[in-house]
Amino acid sequence: ISEGGLIEFVNYLDGSREKLIPEPIYMEGKKENVPVQVALSYNLSYSENVVSYVNNISTIEGGTHVAGFRRGLTRTLKSYADKSGLLEKAKVDISGDDFREGLTAVLSIKVQEPQFEGQTKTKLGNGEIKGIVDRIIYDGIQAFLEENPQVGKRIIEKAAEAARARIAAKKARELV
C-alpha cells in the first residue's frame, strides 16, 4: 500500500468527524524483515478506530501487531507528555485508552510466516511481531512529535481531557 493510499484511507475512515490534527501522521519501518506501515489521525470523537492488515488480509480481530501498535503509541505519548511537562498541570494519570480516544489508524504489516488464530483466522498470533511493531511505532511517533510539538500538545490535551472524563464517570458510578 502506498503512503498516499494509507493516508487517504485514514481520511476516508474519519469521514465527517472534526479533526484534532490537520493531517494524518504516516510512518513506516522495517525490522527483522517485517515491513510495517501506519497512518493515523485524531478527531474530536470519543471512539477508537484501528483497521489492521497482515499481508493485505484484514485482521478484524487484531492480534499481536495491533497490541504492539497500541503499546508503542502509549509508550511514546506517555514519554513525550512526561518530558514536555504537559501532564503536570493536568494532575491525572492517563491510561492507554485515554491516548487512543479519537484515534483513527490503519496498520499494515507483511509477515513471511503469519500464524493466524481463531476460527475465522482474522487474528495474528506471531509473538515476535508485537515488539517489532512497538519499536517502529515508538521511533516513528517520537520523531514526528519532535518536529511537530504543537500536534503533540493537542494529542496530550485530548488524552488528559479523556482521563478527566473517565475519572468523573467512575466517581459518578461510585456515588450511585
Side-chain angles (χ1 to χ4, degrees):
I1 304 171
S2 70
E3 175 181 343
L6 236 52
I7 289 172
E8 217 173 278
F9 193 19
V10 166
N11 283 330
Y12 170 77
L13 290 173
D14 257 356
S16 60
R17 294 187 185 111
E18 193 175 338
K19 295 180 185 305
L20 180 72
I21 62 176
E23 290 296 317
I25 301 166
Y26 175 83
M27 67 201 79
E28 63 184 331
K30 188 174 186 176
K31 289 195 187 307
E32 298 176 37
N33 211 24
V34 177
V36 176
Q37 293 178 289
V38 68
L40 63 94
S41 189
Y42 278 89
N43 58 59
L44 298 181
S45 77
Y46 302 104
S47 60
E48 170 189 5
N49 185 11
V50 176
V51 179
S52 62
Y53 296 89
V54 174
N55 299 348
N56 294 330
I57 298 166
S58 178
T59 49
I60 55 173
E61 293 181 64
T64 54
H65 58 314
V66 174
F69 167 74
R70 287 182 173 145
R71 187 172 73 184
L73 180 77
T74 301
R75 277 189 332 120
T76 313
L77 293 175
K78 187 117 175 120
S79 169
Y80 179 78
D82 290 342
K83 283 180 193 167
S84 62
L86 292 169
L87 291 181
E88 291 168 8
K89 295 174 227 146
K91 294 187 174 97
V92 290
D93 190 31
I94 298 181
S95 73
D97 286 341
D98 299 327
F99 283 121
R100 293 190 304 272
E101 187 175 287
L103 171 71
T104 300
V106 179
L107 171 66
S108 176
I109 71 167
K110 303 277 191 273
V111 181
Q112 287 189 351
E113 293 182 32
Q115 298 165 356
F116 292 105
E117 296 177 356
Q119 287 184 319
T120 56
K121 305 286 185 208
T122 55
K123 182 176 184 179
L124 185 68
N126 299 54
E128 73 280 5
I129 299 300
K130 185 176 182 180
I132 292 169
V133 174
D134 177 344
R135 288 192 304 274
I136 290 171
I137 297 304
Y138 184 87
D139 294 343
I141 293 176
Q142 191 174 38
F144 177 84
L145 293 174
E146 284 174 15
E147 294 174 19
N148 301 277
Q150 71 288 358
V151 172
K153 185 177 184 213
R154 279 189 167 147
I155 293 170
I156 302 305
E157 286 170 352
K158 167 108 169 116
E161 183 182 303
R164 284 192 291 276
R166 177 178 45 82
I167 292 164
K170 182 180 178 193
K171 285 181 183 173
R173 280 193 307 276
E174 288 170 355
L175 285 173
V176 172

